[in-house]
Amino acid sequence: MIPTLTGAMLVPPRELLSIGFAEIALGATQVVNFDSAAVGSVPPGWTVAMTHAGGAPKWEIRKDESAPSKPNVFAQVSEDKTGGRFPPAIFDQANLTDGALSVKFKPVSGSGDQAAGMVWRYRDPDNYYIVRANALEDNVVLYKVEGGKRISLAPKGTASNTYGVAQKVLKNTWSTLKVTFQGKSFAVSFDGKQIFEVEDSTFTGPGKVGLWTKADSVTYFDDFQIETK
Protein backbone atom coordinates (compact mmCIF):
# COMPACT_ATOMS: atom_id res chain seq x y z
CA MET A 1 0.00 0.00 0.00
CA ILE A 2 1.06 3.61 -0.55
CA PRO A 3 1.85 5.29 2.78
CA THR A 4 -1.15 7.04 4.34
CA LEU A 5 -0.08 10.29 5.94
CA THR A 6 -2.03 12.69 8.15
CA GLY A 7 -5.16 13.85 6.36
CA ALA A 8 -4.55 11.73 3.27
CA MET A 9 -6.12 8.62 1.79
CA LEU A 10 -4.61 7.31 -1.43
CA VAL A 11 -5.38 4.16 -3.38
CA PRO A 12 -3.04 1.17 -3.81
CA PRO A 13 -0.60 0.93 -6.75
CA ARG A 14 -2.67 -1.56 -8.79
CA GLU A 15 -5.67 0.75 -8.67
CA LEU A 16 -3.50 3.72 -9.58
CA LEU A 17 -2.33 2.02 -12.74
CA SER A 18 -5.87 1.25 -13.78
CA ILE A 19 -6.88 4.94 -13.68
CA GLY A 20 -3.91 6.39 -15.49
CA PHE A 21 -1.36 7.15 -12.79
CA ALA A 22 2.35 7.50 -13.39
CA GLU A 23 3.72 7.11 -9.89
CA ILE A 24 6.91 8.96 -8.97
CA ALA A 25 9.15 7.79 -6.17
CA LEU A 26 8.91 10.70 -3.75
CA GLY A 27 6.95 9.78 -0.64
CA ALA A 28 3.26 10.01 -1.44
CA THR A 29 3.56 12.23 -4.51
CA GLN A 30 1.81 10.93 -7.62
CA VAL A 31 0.91 12.20 -11.07
CA VAL A 32 -2.22 11.50 -13.10
CA ASN A 33 -1.22 11.63 -16.77
CA PHE A 34 -4.45 10.27 -18.36
CA ASP A 35 -2.54 8.22 -20.93
CA SER A 36 -4.21 4.87 -20.21
CA ALA A 37 -7.77 6.26 -20.35
CA ALA A 38 -9.99 5.82 -23.41
CA VAL A 39 -10.33 8.81 -25.73
CA GLY A 40 -13.78 10.38 -25.39
CA SER A 41 -14.32 9.05 -21.87
CA VAL A 42 -14.28 10.45 -18.35
CA PRO A 43 -11.47 8.43 -16.71
CA PRO A 44 -12.37 5.93 -13.99
CA GLY A 45 -12.00 7.50 -10.57
CA TRP A 46 -13.25 10.93 -11.67
CA THR A 47 -16.67 12.55 -11.14
CA VAL A 48 -17.93 15.53 -13.14
CA ALA A 49 -19.87 18.09 -11.09
CA MET A 50 -21.44 21.53 -11.52
CA THR A 51 -21.49 24.65 -9.39
CA HIS A 52 -24.34 26.99 -10.35
CA ALA A 53 -26.48 26.84 -13.48
CA GLY A 54 -25.75 26.49 -17.16
CA GLY A 55 -25.38 23.85 -19.82
CA ALA A 56 -24.11 20.43 -18.83
CA PRO A 57 -20.32 20.14 -18.48
CA LYS A 58 -18.45 17.98 -20.94
CA TRP A 59 -15.15 16.58 -19.72
CA GLU A 60 -13.40 13.98 -21.86
CA ILE A 61 -10.05 12.45 -22.70
CA ARG A 62 -8.53 13.81 -25.92
CA LYS A 63 -5.34 13.18 -27.83
CA ASP A 64 -3.02 16.17 -28.17
CA GLU A 65 0.37 15.97 -29.85
CA SER A 66 1.54 18.95 -27.78
CA ALA A 67 0.74 17.22 -24.46
CA PRO A 68 3.55 17.34 -21.89
CA SER A 69 3.15 13.57 -21.47
CA LYS A 70 1.80 12.16 -24.72
CA PRO A 71 -0.65 11.20 -25.98
CA ASN A 72 -3.66 12.13 -23.83
CA VAL A 73 -5.05 15.14 -22.01
CA PHE A 74 -8.18 15.62 -19.91
CA ALA A 75 -10.30 18.46 -21.31
CA GLN A 76 -13.42 20.46 -20.53
CA VAL A 77 -14.85 21.07 -24.01
CA SER A 78 -18.36 22.49 -23.51
CA GLU A 79 -18.66 26.02 -24.91
CA ASP A 80 -21.66 27.11 -22.83
CA LYS A 81 -21.20 30.84 -22.16
CA THR A 82 -23.16 31.09 -18.88
CA GLY A 83 -20.98 33.41 -16.80
CA GLY A 84 -21.48 31.75 -13.41
CA ARG A 85 -21.05 28.21 -14.73
CA PHE A 86 -18.28 26.31 -12.93
CA PRO A 87 -17.85 22.65 -14.00
CA PRO A 88 -15.24 20.88 -11.84
CA ALA A 89 -13.93 17.36 -12.43
CA ILE A 90 -13.30 15.73 -9.06
CA PHE A 91 -10.72 13.03 -8.43
CA ASP A 92 -12.38 10.59 -6.06
CA GLN A 93 -9.26 8.68 -5.02
CA ALA A 94 -7.63 11.27 -2.73
CA ASN A 95 -8.96 12.97 0.40
CA LEU A 96 -6.51 15.57 1.71
CA THR A 97 -6.28 18.15 4.47
CA ASP A 98 -2.74 19.36 3.77
CA GLY A 99 -0.66 18.88 0.65
CA ALA A 100 0.14 20.33 -2.75
CA LEU A 101 -1.41 20.17 -6.19
CA SER A 102 0.00 21.12 -9.55
CA VAL A 103 -1.20 20.74 -13.11
CA LYS A 104 -0.04 21.57 -16.60
CA PHE A 105 -2.75 23.31 -18.59
CA LYS A 106 -3.39 24.82 -22.01
CA PRO A 107 -6.17 27.39 -22.61
CA VAL A 108 -7.59 26.47 -26.03
CA SER A 109 -10.60 28.74 -26.54
CA GLY A 110 -13.39 30.75 -24.94
CA SER A 111 -14.87 34.15 -25.65
CA GLY A 112 -16.15 34.74 -22.10
CA ASP A 113 -13.39 32.97 -20.18
CA GLN A 114 -10.25 30.95 -20.74
CA ALA A 115 -9.77 29.63 -17.23
CA ALA A 116 -7.85 26.70 -15.77
CA GLY A 117 -7.99 25.83 -12.11
CA MET A 118 -7.64 23.27 -9.34
CA VAL A 119 -9.85 22.60 -6.32
CA TRP A 120 -8.99 21.21 -2.89
CA ARG A 121 -10.76 20.48 0.41
CA TYR A 122 -13.77 19.86 -1.81
CA ARG A 123 -16.83 18.84 0.22
CA ASP A 124 -19.53 19.18 -2.45
CA PRO A 125 -20.23 21.37 -5.51
CA ASP A 126 -21.04 24.34 -3.24
CA ASN A 127 -18.10 24.21 -0.79
CA TYR A 128 -14.40 24.12 -1.73
CA TYR A 129 -11.27 26.17 -2.50
CA ILE A 130 -10.13 27.06 -6.04
CA VAL A 131 -7.05 28.63 -7.56
CA ARG A 132 -7.36 29.55 -11.21
CA ALA A 133 -5.38 31.22 -14.00
CA ASN A 134 -7.17 33.12 -16.78
CA ALA A 135 -5.71 33.76 -20.24
CA LEU A 136 -8.25 36.49 -21.06
CA GLU A 137 -7.71 38.42 -17.83
CA ASP A 138 -3.99 37.63 -17.42
CA ASN A 139 -4.28 37.00 -13.70
CA VAL A 140 -4.28 34.27 -11.07
CA VAL A 141 -6.89 34.33 -8.29
CA LEU A 142 -7.60 32.12 -5.27
CA TYR A 143 -11.23 31.76 -4.16
CA LYS A 144 -13.42 29.89 -1.76
CA VAL A 145 -16.84 28.63 -2.80
CA GLU A 146 -18.96 28.68 0.34
CA GLY A 147 -22.64 27.85 0.25
CA GLY A 148 -22.50 28.09 -3.54
CA LYS A 149 -21.07 31.63 -3.50
CA ARG A 150 -17.64 32.21 -5.04
CA ILE A 151 -15.56 34.71 -3.04
CA SER A 152 -12.07 35.87 -4.01
CA LEU A 153 -9.47 35.84 -1.24
CA ALA A 154 -6.96 38.68 -1.19
CA PRO A 155 -3.24 37.86 -1.33
CA LYS A 156 -1.48 38.14 2.01
CA GLY A 157 -0.22 41.67 2.70
CA THR A 158 -2.69 43.37 0.32
CA ALA A 159 -5.97 45.23 0.80
CA SER A 160 -8.96 43.04 1.57
CA ASN A 161 -10.56 43.75 -1.81
CA THR A 162 -7.47 42.86 -3.86
CA TYR A 163 -8.37 40.50 -6.70
CA GLY A 164 -5.51 38.03 -7.11
CA VAL A 165 -2.32 39.05 -8.90
CA ALA A 166 -1.51 40.05 -12.46
CA GLN A 167 0.13 37.21 -14.36
CA LYS A 168 0.59 36.73 -18.09
CA VAL A 169 -1.20 33.50 -19.08
CA LEU A 170 -0.47 32.49 -22.67
CA LYS A 171 -3.22 31.09 -24.89
CA ASN A 172 -2.66 27.74 -26.62
CA THR A 173 0.51 27.30 -24.57
CA TRP A 174 1.24 24.86 -21.75
CA SER A 175 1.81 26.45 -18.33
CA THR A 176 2.02 25.04 -14.80
CA LEU A 177 -0.16 26.10 -11.87
CA LYS A 178 0.59 24.95 -8.31
CA VAL A 179 -0.92 25.44 -4.87
CA THR A 180 0.47 24.27 -1.53
CA PHE A 181 -1.99 24.16 1.36
CA GLN A 182 -1.05 23.70 5.01
CA GLY A 183 -3.61 24.58 7.68
CA LYS A 184 -4.92 28.06 6.88
CA SER A 185 -1.94 28.97 4.67
CA PHE A 186 -1.97 28.63 0.87
CA ALA A 187 0.93 29.40 -1.49
CA VAL A 188 0.39 29.76 -5.24
CA SER A 189 3.05 29.31 -7.91
CA PHE A 190 2.98 29.82 -11.67
CA ASP A 191 5.56 28.17 -13.93
CA GLY A 192 7.75 27.37 -10.95
CA LYS A 193 7.70 30.82 -9.33
CA GLN A 194 5.71 31.58 -6.17
CA ILE A 195 3.49 34.59 -6.89
CA PHE A 196 1.36 35.05 -3.75
CA GLU A 197 0.08 33.60 -0.48
CA VAL A 198 -3.38 33.57 1.09
CA GLU A 199 -4.64 32.79 4.58
CA ASP A 200 -8.15 31.48 5.21
CA SER A 201 -9.73 29.10 7.71
CA THR A 202 -13.18 28.47 6.23
CA PHE A 203 -12.50 24.81 5.35
CA THR A 204 -10.04 23.12 7.69
CA GLY A 205 -10.89 19.44 7.28
CA PRO A 206 -10.05 16.97 4.51
CA GLY A 207 -11.67 17.06 1.12
CA LYS A 208 -11.28 15.82 -2.41
CA VAL A 209 -9.20 17.48 -5.12
CA GLY A 210 -9.76 18.12 -8.79
CA LEU A 211 -9.73 20.35 -11.84
CA TRP A 212 -11.91 23.36 -12.64
CA THR A 213 -12.95 25.67 -15.46
CA LYS A 214 -15.51 28.45 -15.98
CA ALA A 215 -18.19 29.31 -18.54
CA ASP A 216 -17.06 28.59 -22.13
CA SER A 217 -13.44 27.81 -21.28
CA VAL A 218 -12.13 24.95 -23.40
CA THR A 219 -9.04 23.93 -21.47
CA TYR A 220 -6.68 20.96 -21.69
CA PHE A 221 -5.02 19.49 -18.59
CA ASP A 222 -2.12 17.05 -18.16
CA ASP A 223 0.16 15.74 -15.40
CA PHE A 224 -2.08 16.45 -12.43
CA GLN A 225 0.24 16.03 -9.45
CA ILE A 226 -0.99 15.29 -5.93
CA GLU A 227 1.38 15.50 -2.98
CA THR A 228 0.38 14.64 0.58
CA LYS A 229 1.83 16.36 3.62
Side-chain angles (χ1 to χ4, degrees):
M1 292 286 288
I2 292 172
T4 299
L5 306 183
T6 302
M9 293 188 297
L10 299 177
V11 294
R14 288 184 182 178
E15 291 180 80
L16 295 179
L17 293 174
S18 72
I19 57 178
F21 261 105
E23 187 177 358
I24 51 181
L26 180 61
T29 299
Q30 299 163 322
V31 179
V32 187
N33 61 27
F34 308 111
D35 292 334
S36 65
V39 171
S41 72
V42 174
W46 290 80
T47 298
V48 173
M50 175 70 87
T51 301
H52 300 161
K58 184 172 176 56
W59 287 86
E60 66 180 25
I61 296 295
R62 288 192 167 185
K63 289 189 180 295
D64 181 8
E65 288 304 314
S66 74
S69 59
K70 293 180 179 59
N72 291 350
V73 298
F74 195 23
Q76 201 295 127
V77 298
S78 169
E79 297 179 346
D80 186 284
K81 292 181 171 60
T82 305
R85 174 183 176 274
F86 311 138
I90 303 304
F91 183 57
D92 297 319
Q93 308 299 315
N95 196 41
L96 310 180
T97 298
D98 298 324
L101 304 175
S102 70
V103 73
K104 296 172 184 175
F105 70 92
K106 182 173 75 169
V108 175
S109 66
S111 60
D113 272 279
Q114 292 190 22
M118 297 179 293
V119 307
W120 67 99
R121 295 185 188 164
Y122 175 97
R123 298 180 178 182
D124 56 50
D126 290 331
N127 296 280
Y128 54 92
Y129 287 112
I130 321 160
V131 63
R132 74 98 179 98
N134 193 306
L136 293 186
E137 298 179 10
D138 280 331
N139 60 17
V140 178
V141 185
L142 194 149
Y143 308 85
K144 64 178 178 180
V145 174
E146 184 179 16
K149 183 179 180 180
R150 189 182 66 155
I151 302 165
S152 64
L153 299 174
K156 190 175 178 180
T158 68
S160 60
N161 62 348
T162 302
Y163 188 65
V165 300
Q167 173 64 54
K168 185 64 178 176
V169 182
L170 297 175
K171 302 173 185 177
N172 287 298
T173 301
W174 288 98
S175 301
T176 302
L177 184 64
K178 180 177 181 179
V179 61
T180 300
F181 43 101
Q182 184 80 32
K184 66 177 183 178
S185 298
F186 312 134
V188 177
S189 299
F190 190 87
D191 281 344
K193 179 183 179 181
Q194 183 170 309
I195 55 176
F196 67 95
E197 297 180 42
V198 165
E199 289 190 351
D200 186 77
S201 56
T202 303
F203 306 122
T204 58
K208 294 178 182 179
V209 300
L211 305 172
W212 182 97
T213 67
K214 181 187 176 188
D216 62 342
S217 303
V218 173
T219 309
Y220 291 1
F221 295 91
D222 200 5
D223 293 346
F224 180 45
Q225 180 171 301
I226 304 163
E227 179 182 350
T228 63
K229 296 289 187 182

